[in-house]
Amino acid sequence: KLSVLLDIVNDEGLVLYQERIKQPYYGYWGRPTGKISWGETTIEAAKRELYEETGLEADLTVEGIYHKLDYDNDGKLLEDKYFILVSGKNPRGKLIDKTDGQRNVWMSEEDFAKKERSFGNLDDIKHLIDSDGHFFAEKKYTYPSEDY
């Protein structure tokens, strides 16, 4: 699966996070993501997903590629995903608080770190985005079978 992962930061330095309110991964927190449609450029997909899921627009930049493999506790592969990480500055528009699948919240990284359930790759992603330059990274993660 090829998707965009959005790192959107507002003028106060708060990051846009989403809580999943559907399966799989109900109750997990992460950044907005979405599939790249056939024939779309990365930035077109990022603009579309940002607007569809949050009601916002932003100035977007492609940062790098992240390959994420999710396994259950028994070692069974659950998902094999490639994310193109896109950062966004100067967000504008009215934030959609909640949709059928997620809840959108601006929060500090400190408040996010207190969340009980979050995707294991977010620390890695933050580090990669903060590094100066483009990147490719790949990592395996394990989640409890009942969370998928």
PDB file of all heavy atoms in Angstrom, residues 71-83:
ATOM      1  N   TYR A  71       3.349  -6.427  12.319  1.00  0.00           N
ATOM      2  CA  TYR A  71       3.186  -7.841  12.639  1.00  0.00           C
ATOM      3  C   TYR A  71       2.365  -7.976  13.905  1.00  0.00           C
ATOM      4  O   TYR A  71       2.374  -7.086  14.757  1.00  0.00           O
ATOM      5  CB  TYR A  71       4.552  -8.492  12.888  1.00  0.00           C
ATOM      6  CG  TYR A  71       5.414  -8.579  11.663  1.00  0.00           C
ATOM      7  CD1 TYR A  71       6.218  -7.516  11.271  1.00  0.00           C
ATOM      8  CD2 TYR A  71       5.437  -9.733  10.894  1.00  0.00           C
ATOM      9  CE1 TYR A  71       7.008  -7.596  10.137  1.00  0.00           C
ATOM     10  CE2 TYR A  71       6.231  -9.822   9.763  1.00  0.00           C
ATOM     11  CZ  TYR A  71       7.013  -8.749   9.399  1.00  0.00           C
ATOM     12  OH  TYR A  71       7.792  -8.831   8.277  1.00  0.00           O
ATOM     13  N   ASP A  72       1.687  -9.131  14.062  1.00  0.00           N
ATOM     14  CA  ASP A  72       1.051  -9.406  15.338  1.00  0.00           C
ATOM     15  C   ASP A  72       2.054 -10.116  16.242  1.00  0.00           C
ATOM     16  O   ASP A  72       3.197 -10.372  15.841  1.00  0.00           O
ATOM     17  CB  ASP A  72      -0.260 -10.183  15.166  1.00  0.00           C
ATOM     18  CG  ASP A  72      -0.090 -11.626  14.706  1.00  0.00           C
ATOM     19  OD1 ASP A  72       1.052 -12.148  14.680  1.00  0.00           O
ATOM     20  OD2 ASP A  72      -1.121 -12.240  14.357  1.00  0.00           O
ATOM     21  N   ASN A  73       1.623 -10.419  17.468  1.00  0.00           N
ATOM     22  CA  ASN A  73       2.528 -11.036  18.450  1.00  0.00           C
ATOM     23  C   ASN A  73       3.030 -12.410  18.021  1.00  0.00           C
ATOM     24  O   ASN A  73       4.050 -12.885  18.523  1.00  0.00           O
ATOM     25  CB  ASN A  73       1.833 -11.153  19.808  1.00  0.00           C
ATOM     26  CG  ASN A  73       1.609  -9.800  20.438  1.00  0.00           C
ATOM     27  OD1 ASN A  73       2.343  -8.851  20.177  1.00  0.00           O
ATOM     28  ND2 ASN A  73       0.575  -9.697  21.261  1.00  0.00           N
ATOM     29  N   ASP A  74       2.320 -13.061  17.089  1.00  0.00           N
ATOM     30  CA  ASP A  74       2.722 -14.387  16.608  1.00  0.00           C
ATOM     31  C   ASP A  74       3.628 -14.319  15.387  1.00  0.00           C
ATOM     32  O   ASP A  74       3.981 -15.351  14.820  1.00  0.00           O
ATOM     33  CB  ASP A  74       1.486 -15.226  16.277  1.00  0.00           C
ATOM     34  CG  ASP A  74       0.620 -15.484  17.501  1.00  0.00           C
ATOM     35  OD1 ASP A  74       1.183 -15.674  18.607  1.00  0.00           O
ATOM     36  OD2 ASP A  74      -0.613 -15.478  17.357  1.00  0.00           O
ATOM     37  N   GLY A  75       3.986 -13.104  14.968  1.00  0.00           N
ATOM     38  CA  GLY A  75       4.870 -12.947  13.824  1.00  0.00           C
ATOM     39  C   GLY A  75       4.169 -12.930  12.477  1.00  0.00           C
ATOM     40  O   GLY A  75       4.825 -12.918  11.436  1.00  0.00           O
ATOM     41  N   LYS A  76       2.836 -12.900  12.482  1.00  0.00           N
ATOM     42  CA  LYS A  76       2.077 -12.851  11.228  1.00  0.00           C
ATOM     43  C   LYS A  76       2.083 -11.417  10.696  1.00  0.00           C
ATOM     44  O   LYS A  76       1.764 -10.466  11.428  1.00  0.00           O
ATOM     45  CB  LYS A  76       0.643 -13.305  11.471  1.00  0.00           C
ATOM     46  CG  LYS A  76      -0.235 -13.221  10.237  1.00  0.00           C
ATOM     47  CD  LYS A  76      -1.672 -13.591  10.578  1.00  0.00           C
ATOM     48  CE  LYS A  76      -2.574 -13.228   9.422  1.00  0.00           C
ATOM     49  NZ  LYS A  76      -3.977 -13.223   9.798  1.00  0.00           N
ATOM     50  N   LEU A  77       2.419 -11.258   9.409  1.00  0.00           N
ATOM     51  CA  LEU A  77       2.411  -9.937   8.780  1.00  0.00           C
ATOM     52  C   LEU A  77       0.983  -9.443   8.647  1.00  0.00           C
ATOM     53  O   LEU A  77       0.133 -10.114   8.057  1.00  0.00           O
ATOM     54  CB  LEU A  77       3.086  -9.998   7.405  1.00  0.00           C
ATOM     55  CG  LEU A  77       3.177  -8.679   6.648  1.00  0.00           C
ATOM     56  CD1 LEU A  77       4.056  -7.677   7.387  1.00  0.00           C
ATOM     57  CD2 LEU A  77       3.719  -8.917   5.237  1.00  0.00           C
ATOM     58  N   LEU A  78       0.697  -8.257   9.209  1.00  0.00           N
ATOM     59  CA  LEU A  78      -0.632  -7.653   9.144  1.00  0.00           C
ATOM     60  C   LEU A  78      -0.731  -6.658   7.998  1.00  0.00           C
ATOM     61  O   LEU A  78      -1.715  -6.657   7.264  1.00  0.00           O
ATOM     62  CB  LEU A  78      -0.949  -6.931  10.455  1.00  0.00           C
ATOM     63  CG  LEU A  78      -0.933  -7.774  11.728  1.00  0.00           C
ATOM     64  CD1 LEU A  78      -1.056  -6.889  12.959  1.00  0.00           C
ATOM     65  CD2 LEU A  78      -2.059  -8.807  11.683  1.00  0.00           C
ATOM     66  N   GLU A  79       0.274  -5.799   7.875  1.00  0.00           N
ATOM     67  CA  GLU A  79       0.269  -4.768   6.838  1.00  0.00           C
ATOM     68  C   GLU A  79       1.695  -4.475   6.399  1.00  0.00           C
ATOM     69  O   GLU A  79       2.627  -4.524   7.193  1.00  0.00           O
ATOM     70  CB  GLU A  79      -0.377  -3.470   7.341  1.00  0.00           C
ATOM     71  CG  GLU A  79      -1.861  -3.598   7.612  1.00  0.00           C
ATOM     72  CD  GLU A  79      -2.495  -2.250   7.901  1.00  0.00           C
ATOM     73  OE1 GLU A  79      -2.284  -1.726   8.989  1.00  0.00           O
ATOM     74  OE2 GLU A  79      -3.190  -1.749   7.000  1.00  0.00           O
ATOM     75  N   ASP A  80       1.836  -4.139   5.127  1.00  0.00           N
ATOM     76  CA  ASP A  80       3.120  -3.756   4.537  1.00  0.00           C
ATOM     77  C   ASP A  80       2.855  -2.446   3.796  1.00  0.00           C
ATOM     78  O   ASP A  80       2.208  -2.425   2.768  1.00  0.00           O
ATOM     79  CB  ASP A  80       3.583  -4.857   3.574  1.00  0.00           C
ATOM     80  CG  ASP A  80       4.937  -4.584   2.966  1.00  0.00           C
ATOM     81  OD1 ASP A  80       5.482  -3.487   3.158  1.00  0.00           O
ATOM     82  OD2 ASP A  80       5.452  -5.482   2.280  1.00  0.00           O
ATOM     83  N   LYS A  81       3.328  -1.322   4.384  1.00  0.00           N
ATOM     84  CA  LYS A  81       2.949  -0.003   3.884  1.00  0.00           C
ATOM     85  C   LYS A  81       4.178   0.847   3.585  1.00  0.00           C
ATOM     86  O   LYS A  81       5.142   0.843   4.343  1.00  0.00           O
ATOM     87  CB  LYS A  81       2.108   0.731   4.925  1.00  0.00           C
ATOM     88  CG  LYS A  81       0.858   0.000   5.336  1.00  0.00           C
ATOM     89  CD  LYS A  81       0.127   0.744   6.418  1.00  0.00           C
ATOM     90  CE  LYS A  81       0.646   0.302   7.762  1.00  0.00           C
ATOM     91  NZ  LYS A  81      -0.162   0.673   8.891  1.00  0.00           N
ATOM     92  N   TYR A  82       4.099   1.571   2.478  1.00  0.00           N
ATOM     93  CA  TYR A  82       5.073   2.612   2.166  1.00  0.00           C
ATOM     94  C   TYR A  82       4.377   3.951   2.360  1.00  0.00           C
ATOM     95  O   TYR A  82       3.310   4.185   1.788  1.00  0.00           O
ATOM     96  CB  TYR A  82       5.561   2.504   0.720  1.00  0.00           C
ATOM     97  CG  TYR A  82       6.580   1.411   0.517  1.00  0.00           C
ATOM     98  CD1 TYR A  82       6.167   0.110   0.249  1.00  0.00           C
ATOM     99  CD2 TYR A  82       7.934   1.677   0.591  1.00  0.00           C
ATOM    100  CE1 TYR A  82       7.096  -0.903   0.055  1.00  0.00           C
ATOM    101  CE2 TYR A  82       8.872   0.675   0.393  1.00  0.00           C
ATOM    102  CZ  TYR A  82       8.448  -0.609   0.129  1.00  0.00           C
ATOM    103  OH  TYR A  82       9.367  -1.602  -0.057  1.00  0.00           O
ATOM    104  N   PHE A  83       4.978   4.803   3.186  1.00  0.00           N
ATOM    105  CA  PHE A  83       4.468   6.149   3.400  1.00  0.00           C
ATOM    106  C   PHE A  83       5.426   7.147   2.776  1.00  0.00           C
ATOM    107  O   PHE A  83       6.637   7.065   2.981  1.00  0.00           O
ATOM    108  CB  PHE A  83       4.377   6.480   4.893  1.00  0.00           C
ATOM    109  CG  PHE A  83       3.295   5.748   5.620  1.00  0.00           C
ATOM    110  CD1 PHE A  83       3.605   4.710   6.476  1.00  0.00           C
ATOM    111  CD2 PHE A  83       1.958   6.115   5.471  1.00  0.00           C
ATOM    112  CE1 PHE A  83       2.612   4.044   7.170  1.00  0.00           C
ATOM    113  CE2 PHE A  83       0.967   5.449   6.157  1.00  0.00           C
ATOM    114  CZ  PHE A  83       1.292   4.407   7.005  1.00  0.00           C
TER     115      PHE A  83
END
